[in-house]
Amino acid sequence: MKKMGKTTPFKEQILQRKKKLEALVEKYGYPYPNDFKPEVALKSIRDKFEALSGKEIEKKKVKFRVAGRVMAIRLFGKAAFAVIKDSTSTIQLFFQKNELGDKYSEFKKLIDIGDIIGAEGILFKTKTGELTVNVEDFRILVKSLRPLPEKWHGLSDVEVRYRQRYVDLIVNDSVREIFKTRAKIIKLIRGFLDDRGFMEVETPMMHSIPGGAKARPFTTHHNALDMDLYLRIAPELYLKRLVVGGFERVYELNRNFRNEGISTQHNPEFTMIEFYQTYATFENLMDLTEELITYLLKEIKGDLKITYLDKELDFTPPWERMTLRDAIVKYAGVPENKLFDEDFLRNKLRQYEIDTTMLTTAGELQTTIFEEFVEEQLINPTFVTHFPVEVSPLARRNLKDPSVTDRFELYIYGREIANAFSELNDPHDQLERFKMQLEDRERGDEEVPPEIDYDYVRALEYGLPPTAGEGIGIDRLVMLLTNQSSIREVILFPLLRRKKEEEWG
RNA sequence: GGGCCGCUAGCUCAGCUGGUAGAGCAGCAGACUCUUAAUCUGCGGGGCGCAGGUUCGAAUCCUGCGCGGCUCACCA
C-alpha cells in the first residue's frame, strides 16, 4: 500500500482489468455506454417463472433484456454460466459459443466478476432447475477495475465495510436487507402519521441558539452574514412554533447533531422523529406510541414477540407504565419514605462512586438514580412517567404534583427509545425554567443552551394550544427491528476518523 | 479519555517458545457445453498498519504512534 508510488501505481489485478478496458475501447470506442435499457427487474422474472416447469417456460419462448452486476462466473470450455445481480434479485445467464459465435471470446476474455453487463436472450430452466437466460447478445456496460471481496466469506472487515459501504452493499446481502428494512420502517412511520392527519414539515438544521435538548452542539459559521450557527440538537422549539402558528399536527423526521461521544448507541448525527399533536396529552401519546410500534412490529416482523440480541422481548399491549419514583422504589431499592431525603439519595449514589456535585435537588438525584440503577433493568417495553421538573425544562407540570411533569420515556432493552410530554405552554413558567437552566450553565454545565430563546417565549405568549409532543430515535428503533447491536450497522455512512490518502488500498 | 483486542496477498485467514512468510478464493495461462463455493493442471502476487528499539537474526519480543472493534467513562 505504502509503495503505491511511481514505481507500482496499480496492483496486478487492477492492471489486468485496465488492459481489458483498453481492449473494449479498441473494439467499441468509449467504453461506458448508457443506451442499454433493461426491461425488467430480476425479481419480476423470478416471481413470474420460478414456479413454472422447464417445459412450460420453453414453450413460451420469452425473451428478456436484463442488466446487473456480475457476481459469479463458472466457465467451461465453450460455454459458461454467470450470475448477475440487480437491486431486486439475481439471475443466471448462460453463454454458449454455439449461440454467440465470435462474441463468446469477448465474454471469456473481457468480463470479470464485478462488471456491470446488459444481456438479452430466451428464458429457460437448466437441468438442475435454475432459471436462466440463454444469452443471444450482451454488452459490457461498465468495466469494474477493482476486484470484489471473496465470494464465499464476503467482506467482514468492519472498518472497510463502513468506509467503503458501497462494497459492503455489493457483497453482503444481509447489509442490503438492513437498509431496505430501514427505508420501510421510515415509510411506515410516515404513513402512520399521515393517516392520522399529521403534516410533515422541515425546520432549520442551522440554529442561532441551540435548544430543545441538552447536548453539546456542533458550531459553524455563515460568512455572508458573519454569524455563528449551531447544527440543531433537536427541532423541538421550531416545531412548537408551528403549532402556535396553527398547524395542529406536525412531524419532522430528520437528522439531529450532537457533539458528543461515539458508541454503539451514539452517532454524532442521528435520525429522530418528533411529532406534536394539539389537544392531546402525554397519556394519549403513550397509547399512540404503543399503536405505532406494534404496527411496525407486525409489518416488519409479523409478530409482537421478538428476539433482540440475547433477549426475548414481548410487545403485547398494554405495556407497563410506572412513575419514575415508583421505578426507583421498585428497581433501585429506595424506600418510599426516603424519596425526598436528599442526603440519603446522595449517599446512595456516592456509594457507587457517582459524582453528585452537579446534582442540587431531589428531582435530579432521583433521575440520576433512575439512570444508574433502573434503566438497564427495563427490558420489555416500559413507559416511565412523571420525570422531575428540574430535568424537564420544556414539559408541563403535573397539576396534582407540581414537582413532576406530565412526561414519559419509553424504555426497551434498557435503552431510551422515546421521550414525550404534555408541552409546557405557560410562557411565564417557561421563562423561569430557562433562567434556572442558565444558572446551571453558569455552574459549568456546558450542555445547557448558552442563552435564552426569547423568541420561543414570545411565541408561547401568543398562545400554544394544549399540545403533547414526542421524539423517537429512529436509529435505535431500526436496531431493534433488525436485531443489530451497533448503531453503525443501521447508518449507511457512520462517522469515522479520516484516513490519509496514501492509505488507499 | 481509560482498559482489552485486532491490523499478514484484492478478500477470508494460518504462521508454536524469534531463524528470514503460507493456504483457500480472486487473478493469469491451459483443459472442459448444464454449473451452483463447478472441476483439473501450471504460474505470478505480499515482506507482515507506521516509526523506532532489542538481537547475529523480528510478522513474532519491547516502546511510541495511527486506524478500527468491544468496553468503561461520557451522554435530556
Side-chain angles (χ1 to χ4, degrees), chain A residues 240-248 277-280 396 423-425 459-460 462-468:
Chain A
K240 284 191 277 193
R241 282 175 170 97
L242 294 178
V243 180
V244 169
F247 292 131
E248 296 186 335
Q277 178 179 348
T278 51
Y279 311 113
R396 177 190 173 87
E423 301 299 335
L424 173 59
N425 61 350
L460 293 188
Y462 280 93
L464 172 68
T467 300

Side-chain angles (χ1 to χ4, degrees), chain A residues 309-337:
Chain A
L309 305 182
D310 58 328
K311 299 217 160 57
E312 304 295 319
L313 305 180
D314 187 353
F315 288 81
T316 309
W319 300 346
E320 189 164 9
R321 300 179 183 193
M322 63 171 73
T323 67
L324 183 135
R325 284 176 188 158
D326 286 346
I328 62 178
V329 169
K330 180 172 174 187
Y331 289 103
V334 174
E336 265 193 85
N337 61 353

Side-chain angles (χ1 to χ4, degrees), chain A residues 205-210 217-232 238 450-451:
Chain A
M205 296 264 176
M206 296 193 289
H207 291 182
S208 52
I209 304 172
F218 286 93
T219 57
T220 184
H221 187 80
H222 189 277
N223 290 336
L225 296 178
D226 188 23
M227 177 169 79
D228 286 332
L229 289 165
Y230 303 90
L231 298 188
R232 75 176 182 197
Y238 281 96
E451 56 182 301

Side-chain angles (χ1 to χ4, degrees), chain A residues 1-18:
Chain A
M1 290 184 187
K2 181 185 130 197
K3 287 196 176 165
M4 274 182 56
K6 292 145 200 168
T7 40
T8 51
F10 293 104
K11 297 282 181 159
E12 173 206 1
Q13 295 199 39
I14 295 181
L15 278 174
Q16 292 291 356
R17 286 169 179 243
K18 290 214 159 182

Side-chain angles (χ1 to χ4, degrees), chain A residues 12 92 106 117 155 168 185 190 195 243 316 327 357 360 379 427 498:
Chain A
E12 173 206 1
Q92 182 167 259
E106 179 181 330
I117 66 171
L155 177 68
D168 192 26
I185 290 166
R190 287 198 161 107
D195 287 349
V243 180
T316 309
T357 51
T360 56
I379 302 304
R498 190 178 164 171

Side-chain angles (χ1 to χ4, degrees), chain A residues 345-346 349-350 354-360 365:
Chain A
L345 300 174
R346 196 176 294 279
L349 286 165
R350 282 191 184 148
I354 295 158
D355 179 23
T356 61
T357 51
M358 298 291 278
L359 309 174
T360 56
L365 290 163

Side-chain angles (χ1 to χ4, degrees), chain A residues 258 260-270 476 479 486-488 491:
Chain A
R258 297 188 183 175
E260 282 163 2
I262 294 178
S263 77
T264 50
Q265 311 297 315
H266 302 265
N267 194 60
E269 54 178 302
F270 63 100
R476 290 180 184 178
M479 285 165 72
S486 169
I487 198 167
R488 277 167 239 132
I491 290 174

